Amino acid sequence: MRLPLSILLGMSLLLAGCGSKPAVVDDHAGHDHEAEAKEGVAKEAGHKEGEVHLDAEQAKIAGIQAQDVGYRFMQSSIGVPGIVNSTTKGRAVVTPPVAGRVVTINAALGSKVRQGQVLAVIESPELAQTWSGIADAERSRDAAAASLREAKSEVNLSIAKLSAAKTNQTRQRDLAKAGAFSQAPVQQAQSDLNDAQSDLLSIQKEQASHAEVVRRLENLYRDGIVSKADLDAAKLELQQDQIKLDRAKARVDSAKATYEREKNIASRGLLNAKELQAADADVKSAQLELDRARIRVRSAEATVESANLAISNARSVYKANTAGGSASVGRVNLVAPIAGTITHLDITKGQAVDRTQVLMEIENLSSVWVTANVPEQDAAKVRKGASVSITISAMKEREFTGVVQIVGDRVDPKTRSIPVQCLVTGSLGELKPDMFATVNLPYGPGTQSLAILQISLVREGTENFVFVKSGDHYQKTLVTLGTQSEGFVSIKSGLKEGESVVTKGAFILNSQLKKDELKGHEH
C-alpha cells in the first residue's frame, strides 16, 4: 500500500536520522582516505547490505505489516493480456420515446442516478394527441355502456310485460270457459243505461225548476221589481238546461243501443272469441318487444366491446410513445433505465428532440467484462466457470477476481488468439472501460507450494525481491517466482517456511534502502 507523499517524505526524513553520525577520518593514520570513509559508513550504518532498520514506532508510522511464509494450494496459470469493457446490463443509452421539446432537465454529467429516476421531462404534441384519442375512446365507451344499461332495462320490462300478458291469456281462457264474458258486458251496458236515464230525469227536474223561476221573474219584471239583467240570467240558465237535456237524451239513446248490441253479442257467444284473441295478441306483441330489446342488448354489447378495444389500442400507442415511463397528458418523464453514472450528456432545455437521438449514456461499473486474448495453443486450458485473478496496469497493487463466462469459438486471424470473457463483480467502479489488464487463467491440478502475497513483491528490472523481517531489521531478499493464483505467488527459491515477509510498506523500505546506498556513495 502506498502512503501519501507527505507521510512518505516524513518517513524519509525520520529514517534519514536513524543512522549514527558520520565517521571521523584520521588523516594521519596512513590509510586510504576513500576506503576508510566506506568502512566507516558501513560500520556506522549498523546493518548488513540490503538491510533496513526500523524500531517499532517507526514501523507503525510507516504502516509496515508482515506475514509468515507458509504453504498453500497453488494452481498453475497463464497470464494473458486483457481489456476492460462494460457489460450489456451495465451500460444504457437514453433516447426520447417520442419526438418533442425538452422542458426540464434533472441530471448533470458525472452525476450518479438510480434506476427509474426522472432525468428530464419532454413535452410532445404527438403524445397529447394520443392522450386525446384515449379520452375520446373512453367517452364512446361510456355512451355505449349507458345504451347497454338502457337496453337491458328494456329487456327486463319486456319480460315483465310478456309474463303479465301470458297470465292474462290464461285468465281470459278460464273466464271464457266459465261464460264470464257473456254477462259482464251486458251488465255493464245495463248499468250505463240506468245511469243515463237517471241523469236525464235529474236534468228534467232541474229544467222544470228553472222554468218556474223564469216565469216568476217575468211577472216581477213587468211589475218593475227585478231588473232585465236578472231575468236574462235566469233565461240563459234555462237554455243551458235544455242543452244538458238534449245531451242526456242522446246518452240514453246511445246506452240503449249499446245494451241491445251487447245482448245480441252475448246471445251469439261472440264475446268469448274476441277476448281470447285480444289476450293472444297481447302475448305476441310482448314477445316481439322482448326480442327487439334483446337485439338492442347484443348490439350495445358489441359497441361496448368495440369501444374497449379502441381504448386498449389507444393506451398501447400511448404506452409505446412513453416507453413505459410515467406521463401526464402531453408530457413524458425520461427515466434512467439502470442505476449508474451519467458518462455522456447531450441535451439542453428547450431543445427539440426525436426518437433516434441519444441524449444520455449511463454506465454502471459495479460489474464489468474483462476480455482476455488467450493464445490458440493455450485455449484448451481455459474452462468456463473457472475463477481468474486480474491485475490492472494502472493499479499494480490491486487484484480483482473474475469468473470465466464465455470462451470464444473462433481464432482471431491477426493475433492467433481466442477471446475469453470474464465477469468481475463488486469492482465498485474502479475498473474503467478500455483499461489494460493482465488475466491469470488457472489450469492443471495444482499443488501445495510455499507462497506469499503478490503485493509483497518489489520488482526491479527482471528480478523480484521481498523484505524479510527479523526483529527491527528488514532484509531485502531475492526470490524466484512460480505460479500465481488468487493474489498469491509460489516461491521456488529465496525463502523458507515460517519466515516473516513484509506485505505492506515494502515500497517505503526499498526507498529508504536506496537513500542509504546514495548516502554511502556520497561518503
Side-chain angles (χ1 to χ4, degrees):
M1 180 182 70
R2 295 188 178 183
L3 295 176
L5 182 58
S6 58
I7 296 179
L8 182 58
L9 292 176
M11 274 300 303
S12 299
L13 293 175
L14 178 63
L15 295 176
C18 290
S20 303
K21 295 181 180 180
V24 179
V25 181
D26 187 358
D27 292 336
H28 303 287
H31 297 290
D32 181 78
H33 178 77
E34 183 178 354
E36 285 184 356
K38 289 183 179 179
E39 183 180 358
V41 170
K43 288 181 180 179
E44 293 173 9
H47 57 255
K48 298 182 293 183
E49 184 179 357
E51 184 180 86
V52 178
H53 175 267
L54 293 180
D55 60 29
E57 183 65 23
Q58 292 171 330
K60 182 178 179 181
I61 294 174
I64 304 299
Q65 294 183 18
Q67 182 175 313
D68 290 346
V69 180
Y71 283 87
R72 67 177 283 115
F73 180 80
M74 298 293 291
Q75 192 170 23
S76 299
S77 63
I78 54 174
V80 296
I83 191 167
V84 178
N85 294 298
S86 57
T87 64
T88 53
K89 293 183 179 180
R91 181 175 180 273
V93 295
V94 181
T95 58
V98 65
R101 182 176 60 87
V102 179
V103 294
T104 304
I105 301 174
N106 303 321
L109 186 63
S111 60
K112 294 185 180 297
V113 296
R114 64 182 182 279
Q115 186 176 6
Q117 179 177 333
V118 177
L119 305 177
V121 178
I122 296 176
E123 189 176 62
S124 171
E126 180 181 348
L127 196 62
Q129 185 177 359
T130 306
W131 180 267
S132 177
I134 295 176
D136 291 341
E138 288 178 342
R139 283 192 292 271
S140 298
R141 186 269 316 276
D142 294 341
S147 299
L148 177 60
R149 289 192 296 269
E150 183 179 350
K152 286 182 176 180
S153 298
E154 291 178 0
V155 167
N156 294 333
L157 181 60
S158 298
I159 290 174
K161 286 183 177 180
L162 178 60
S163 177
K166 287 182 177 180
T167 301
N168 182 60
Q169 183 186 46
T170 301
R171 184 174 65 253
Q172 298 298 335
R173 286 175 179 172
D174 293 341
L175 290 173
K177 289 179 182 179
F181 297 129
S182 301
Q183 298 301 322
V186 174
Q187 292 173 354
Q188 180 64 42
Q190 180 66 61
S191 176
D192 291 342
L193 177 60
N194 292 338
D195 289 342
Q197 289 175 342
S198 176
D199 289 343
L200 176 61
L201 181 60
S202 175
I203 292 172
Q204 286 174 342
K205 289 180 180 180
E206 187 176 359
Q207 184 187 35
S209 174
H210 289 164
E212 181 61 25
V213 169
V214 169
R215 187 184 62 78
R216 285 200 313 270
L217 289 175
E218 285 178 344
N219 293 332
L220 292 174
Y221 175 72
R222 283 194 297 269
D223 294 338
I225 297 174
V226 297
S227 65
K228 181 79 166 57
D230 292 336
L231 178 60
D232 291 341
K235 288 181 178 180
L236 178 61
E237 190 170 5
L238 183 61
Q239 291 175 355
Q240 291 177 346
D241 289 341
Q242 185 61 43
I243 295 173
K244 291 179 181 179
L245 182 62
D246 294 340
R247 289 178 179 175
K249 289 180 179 179
R251 180 184 173 192
V252 168
D253 293 339
S254 175
K256 285 181 179 180
T258 300
Y259 175 69
E260 294 298 330
R261 186 178 67 253
E262 292 299 334
K263 283 176 63 178
N264 184 38
I265 292 174
S267 63
R268 297 170 61 186
L270 299 177
L271 192 61
N272 290 342
K274 176 183 176 183
E275 295 296 336
L276 287 177
Q277 288 174 356
D280 291 342
D282 289 342
V283 171
K284 291 181 180 179
S285 176
Q287 182 64 56
L288 182 61
E289 185 177 346
L290 176 60
D291 292 341
R292 284 196 297 264
R294 284 174 173 168
I295 291 174
R296 286 194 294 271
V297 167
R298 289 194 291 271
S299 176
E301 287 176 341
T303 303
V304 170
E305 184 178 354
S306 177
N308 285 330
L309 180 60
I311 292 173
S312 178
N313 292 337
R315 286 178 176 171
S316 297
V317 173
Y318 187 80
K319 185 176 181 180
N321 287 341
T322 61
S326 59
S328 60
V329 191
R331 294 190 174 190
V332 60
N333 294 332
L334 202 64
V335 299
I338 62 172
T341 303
I342 297 178
T343 57
H344 173 76
L345 184 67
D346 185 15
I347 183 173
T348 56
K349 190 173 182 179
Q351 176 182 351
V353 295
D354 55 47
R355 286 188 175 92
T356 61
Q357 190 171 349
V358 177
L359 304 182
M360 304 179 195
E361 291 184 13
I362 301 173
E363 288 190 333
N364 187 332
L365 301 178
S366 59
S367 298
V368 296
W369 287 117
V370 177
T371 303
N373 297 311
V374 181
E376 58 180 325
Q377 63 270 21
D378 295 323
K381 300 176 181 179
V382 181
R383 293 290 180 268
K384 186 178 179 180
S387 178
V388 300
S389 63
I390 299 168
T391 56
I392 303 297
S393 302
M395 296 179 284
K396 294 183 178 180
E397 295 185 1
R398 287 296 311 277
E399 182 175 290
F400 300 88
T401 301
V403 177
V404 175
Q405 297 284 336
I406 301 173
V407 179
D409 296 327
R410 294 188 177 184
V411 176
D412 189 320
K414 294 181 179 179
T415 61
R416 306 308 302 173
S417 63
I418 293 177
V420 175
Q421 282 191 292
C422 308
L423 181 64
V424 180
T425 59
S427 61
L428 302 177
E430 292 182 280
L431 298 182
K432 312 294 184 185
D434 298 326
M435 276 186 169
F436 291 108
T438 299
V439 181
N440 296 302
L441 299 164
Y443 68 91
T447 59
Q448 290 289 334
S449 304
L450 199 65
I452 62 172
L453 288 169
Q454 290 186 19
I455 58 175
S456 304
L457 295 174
V458 177
R459 292 182 174 85
E460 292 184 347
T462 59
E463 295 181 326
N464 294 280
F465 298 88
V466 296
F467 280 90
V468 179
K469 180 178 182 298
S470 178
D472 292 342
H473 298 275
Y474 300 86
Q475 181 64 47
K476 187 175 182 181
T477 304
L478 179 65
V479 291
T480 304
L481 306 181
T483 301
Q484 297 182 10
S485 176
E486 298 181 355
F488 286 83
V489 58
S490 63
I491 302 299
K492 293 182 178 180
S493 64
L495 294 175
K496 295 182 295 183
E497 184 181 9
E499 287 186 308
S500 183
V501 173
V502 173
T503 57
K504 290 186 178 180
F507 174 77
I508 294 177
L509 294 175
N510 195 46
S511 298
Q512 179 59 32
L513 185 61
K514 290 183 177 180
K515 288 183 179 180
D516 289 344
E517 291 175 354
L518 289 174
K519 187 188 299 181
H521 286 303
E522 291 174 0
H523 284 284

